[in-house]
């Protein structure tokens, strides 16, 4: 089958294939906003890998099989309020955003507990567990687990289709095309949303999608809206936190209305980063949503459970085992945990030893703050420098073993321009979960995503401009 190197070696064929890809992407809504004017009318094809990346089948299936075990483990973690508060306390002392989220969590406890007591807590989870293959041990290790604003479910569905089309154009046989795993994250996510809205049960109930003003990744979001309407007849209102603060009305019965419409589900594609809360109004909106009786994706508890600090704590002996649904689940999940260390007690001998090792070997580690959205981590010399500075501020970070994926040749296409490079790929597996009280309505694996970045780039992140959307070709 056509390899990236072979395609890149023939400039005429390459140009044709790039044009095919760009046209297909435009024809099928595989788009991102240009970031100028109104993104709804100024779009460009999403950053793409021209061909799917070879990926070991067994590893891919391992990641998919873990989806339900992660669903139940995270649900158990999010339900343990004392655990969340205890583990996040030191980080919150040094990180205002984490402190504020915890404050919202505490301030809404009475409402939450009252609702839990009558079995009416409503939550939808759209998780994305991200992995990279660690070449030295040939094992798949988790980069992070996203519990809020897990993005690209729709565009990843489209990229897989585009790759099938392009390989077909290159003459791939049906047997070769069978190596492209089928998935439909778009419909899977939308069906979970539809199930939540249906269970809420109020005629005319809408989904509110909480968005950032000027979002460039709007098409990935708009696809959810369109499909939610087509498959489930549910309307979506796109609102910023500031707009929710201005328009939201919380009734004494816990019902939230926006512009007079009953809200059945609040789905956050914003609210995960401090800049989403420029004033008290945005925090007030977050509290309003947390206190209403609609389905939330996610609750504040889920957002906290997705903190890097929690992932690091789960990696400690016995902790995954405590929250996994069964010993078999624990065993399944345990193998994905990379080495991770907390930095709240720098005087501790084990911590001091790993910090010294990281300062001497910074390329074997990543230093991560309690942030989401890409572009926040420290690598290499900057990592060593930050560790050398020391100080209590480090409690807001975790130190993580650097995962070393095998480099692969790929052609990345941005704004119609192709560039061949050595690249590294990150696999994401979506899962959905709908629960009311103790009733789990849905727990499902929900498709996948591959993002590929230049091997010379430390960070990934398509939206952040480092990576391209890709899909796996199972080998
Ligand atoms: P965010 O929530 O901001 O996406 P991540 O933990 O996913 O945070 O880190 C961002 C990117 O940094 C990842 O997509 C990956 O490319 C890189 N990265 C994070 N952790 C590691 C690690 N342990 N080893 C190698 N690269 C990592
Ligand atoms: Mg993240
Ligand atoms: Mg990430």
């Amino acid at each position: 089958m056509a390899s990236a190197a072979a395609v890149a070696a023939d400039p005429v064929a390459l140009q044709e294939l790039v044009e095919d890809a760009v046209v297909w992407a435009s024809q099928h809504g595989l788009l991102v906003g240009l970031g100028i004017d109104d993104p709804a009318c100024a779009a460009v094809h999403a950053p793409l890998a021209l061909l799917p990346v070879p990926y070991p089948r067994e590893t891919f299936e391992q990641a998919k099989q873990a989806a339900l075990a992660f669903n139940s483990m995270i649900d158990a973690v999010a339900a343990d309020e004392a655990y969340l508060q205890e583990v996040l306390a030191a980080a919150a002392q040094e990180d205002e955003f984490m402190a504020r989220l915890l404050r919202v969590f505490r301030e809404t406890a009475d409402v939450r507990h009252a609702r839990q007591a009558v079995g009416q807590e409503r939550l939808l989870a759209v998780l994305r567990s991200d992995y990279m293959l660690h070449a030295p041990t040939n094992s798949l290790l988790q980069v992070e687990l996203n519990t809020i604003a897990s993005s690209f479910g729709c565009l990843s569905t489209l990229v897989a289709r585009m790759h099938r089309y392009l390989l077909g154009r290159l003459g791939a046989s049906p047997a070769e095309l069978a190596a492209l795993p089928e998935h439909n994250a778009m419909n899977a996510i939308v069906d979970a949303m539809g199930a939540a809205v249906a269970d809420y049960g109020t005629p005319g109930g809408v989904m509110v999608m909480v968005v950032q003003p000027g979002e460039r990744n709007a098409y990935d979001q708009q696809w959810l809206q369109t499909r939610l309407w087509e498959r489930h007849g549910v309307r979506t209102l796109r609102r910023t936190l500031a707009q929710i603060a201005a328009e939201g009305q919380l009734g004494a019965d816990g019902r939230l209305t926006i512009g007079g419409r009953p809200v059945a589900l609040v789905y956050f594609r914003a609210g995960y980063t401090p800049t989403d809360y420029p004033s008290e109004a945005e925090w007030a909106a977050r509290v309003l949503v947390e206190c209403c009786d609609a389905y939330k994706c996610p609750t504040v508890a889920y957002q906290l459970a997705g903190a890097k600090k929690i992932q690091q704590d789960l990696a400690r002996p016995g902790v995954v085992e405590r929250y996994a649904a069964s010993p078999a689940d624990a065993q399944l999940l345990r193998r994905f945990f990379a080495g991770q260390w907390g930095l709240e007690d720098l005087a501790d001998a084990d911590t001091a030893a790993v910090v010294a090792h990281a300062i001497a070997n910074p390329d074997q580690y990543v230093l991560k703050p309690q942030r989401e959205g890409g572009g926040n981590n420290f690598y290499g010399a900057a990592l060593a420098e930050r560790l050398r500075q020391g100080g209590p501020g480090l409690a807001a970070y975790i130190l993580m073993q650097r995962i070393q994926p095998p480099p692969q040749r790929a052609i990345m296409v941005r704004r119609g321009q192709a560039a061949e490079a050595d690249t590294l790929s990150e696999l994401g597996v979506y899962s959905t979960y709908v629960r009311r009280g103790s009733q789990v309505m849905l727990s499902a694996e929900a498709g996948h995503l591959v993002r590929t970045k230049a091997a010379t780039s430390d960070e990934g992140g398509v939206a952040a401009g480092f990576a391209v959307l890709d899909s796996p070709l199972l080998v």
Side-chain angles (χ1 to χ4, degrees):
M1 193 161 347
S3 71
V7 169
D10 179 346
V12 175
L14 172 64
Q15 195 47 40
E16 257 179 38
L17 199 64
V18 169
E19 277 174 28
D20 273 358
V22 168
V23 168
W24 192 99
S26 306
Q27 286 174 329
H28 295 82
L30 176 43
L31 300 170
V32 291
L34 267 175
I36 49 170
D37 302 330
D38 177 2
C41 64
V44 63
H45 74 85
L48 304 167
L50 191 57
L51 296 169
V53 61
Y55 209 89
R57 181 184 294 272
E58 202 183 322
T59 311
F60 177 79
E61 281 165 4
Q62 244 179 41
K64 289 234 159 184
Q65 278 156 13
L68 300 195
F70 272 117
N71 273 1
S72 24
M73 180 178 73
I74 284 298
D75 198 39
V77 170
D80 191 341
E81 301 195 2
Y83 173 74
L84 292 175
Q85 304 211 44
E86 184 194 318
V87 173
L88 295 171
Q93 288 226 323
E94 304 300 330
D95 183 320
E96 248 177 78
F97 183 60
M98 181 55 74
R100 191 64 197 260
L101 276 177
L102 274 172
R103 202 173 114 194
V104 171
F105 188 51
R106 277 194 306 272
E107 287 174 359
T108 54
D110 288 348
V111 180
R112 182 168 56 247
H113 296 159
R115 215 159 266 139
Q116 284 166 348
V118 292
Q120 295 300 319
E121 183 193 29
R122 295 181 177 88
L123 74 93
L124 162 67
V126 177
L127 308 182
R128 199 188 67 220
S129 182
D130 291 335
Y131 306 88
M132 292 195 298
L133 201 57
H134 187 53
T137 55
N138 197 29
S139 50
L140 192 68
L141 297 179
Q142 187 181 51
V143 174
E144 64 154 344
L145 179 73
N146 293 289
T147 57
I148 181 166
S150 306
S151 62
F152 290 119
C154 296
L155 297 193
S156 76
T157 303
L158 296 170
V159 166
R161 278 184 208 157
M162 181 196 74
H163 280 156
R164 185 174 294 276
Y165 165 76
L166 293 176
L167 286 189
R169 296 274 293 187
L170 289 171
S173 69
E176 287 171 321
L177 292 179
L180 297 172
E182 296 278 352
H183 83 113
N184 197 323
M186 189 186 311
N187 286 354
I189 293 168
V190 157
D191 289 351
M193 292 169 164
V197 173
D199 182 69
Y200 188 75
T202 299
V206 298
M207 174 168 93
V208 171
M209 190 184 296
V210 186
V211 295
Q212 297 176 333
E215 169 71 69
R216 283 194 60 199
N217 194 22
Y219 285 88
D220 184 58
Q221 302 175 344
Q222 300 271 9
W223 268 114
L224 294 174
Q225 292 175 227
T226 314
R227 276 284 188 268
L228 186 60
W229 174 251
E230 290 172 352
R231 289 173 76 81
H232 300 280
V234 174
R235 270 188 72 137
T236 299
L237 306 178
R238 293 175 69 81
R239 293 290 186 274
T240 62
L241 281 168
Q243 289 170 326
I244 292 171
E247 297 173 36
Q249 298 280 341
L250 186 61
D253 55 0
R255 303 253 140 168
L256 177 65
T257 54
I258 291 197
R261 290 176 191 279
V263 178
L265 163 65
V266 183
Y267 171 62
F268 284 90
R269 290 293 288 259
Y272 52 82
T273 183
T275 51
D276 289 341
Y277 302 85
S279 74
E280 283 301 311
E282 286 79 10
W283 284 111
R286 187 66 197 265
V287 170
L288 188 78
V289 169
E290 191 67 11
C291 289
C292 82
D293 75 350
Y295 272 92
K296 288 152 211 115
C297 180
T299 58
V300 171
Y302 259 69
Q303 182 170 355
L304 293 172
K308 275 126 190 135
K309 185 68 201 164
I310 296 287
Q311 183 191 13
Q312 175 258 312
D313 195 73
L314 287 167
R316 293 192 307 117
V319 187
V320 162
E321 291 69 16
R322 175 149 36 109
Y323 291 105
S326 67
D329 269 15
Q331 211 179 5
L332 188 67
L333 297 174
R334 179 48 80 184
R335 70 170 87 159
F336 296 114
F337 281 81
Q340 294 173 71
W341 300 270
L343 299 172
E344 56 280 330
D345 184 4
L346 298 170
D348 171 75
D350 291 344
T351 307
V354 73
V355 166
H357 191 260
I359 289 172
N361 307 276
D363 291 338
Q364 292 177 28
Y365 296 87
V366 181
L367 183 63
K368 300 166 94 165
Q370 307 307 306
R371 287 287 172 277
E372 295 296 330
N376 300 301
N377 300 338
F378 290 72
Y379 304 86
L383 174 151
E385 177 53 32
R386 181 64 192 87
L387 286 180
R388 238 182 259 116
Q389 273 174 24
L394 280 176
Y397 293 78
I398 63 153
L399 192 59
M400 186 170 180
Q401 167 197 359
R402 183 157 187 170
I403 311 169
Q404 296 163 353
Q408 312 219 54
R409 221 51 202 158
I411 300 166
M412 301 191 279
V413 185
R414 291 190 179 88
R415 299 205 177 189
Q417 301 297 310
E420 193 195 0
D422 280 333
T423 58
L424 310 178
S425 293
E426 182 170 341
L427 171 70
V429 174
Y430 298 95
S431 58
T432 50
Y433 190 81
V434 181
R435 176 166 66 73
R436 172 164 45 81
S438 58
Q439 218 179 317
V440 178
M441 245 90 59
L442 176 88
S443 181
E445 185 254 299
H448 57 264
L449 162 76
V450 175
R451 287 169 299 168
T452 291
K453 62 174 181 175
T456 49
S457 160
D458 290 319
E459 280 275 338
V462 176
F466 305 108
V468 297
L469 297 170
D470 203 344
S471 80
L473 177 86
L474 300 182
V475 291

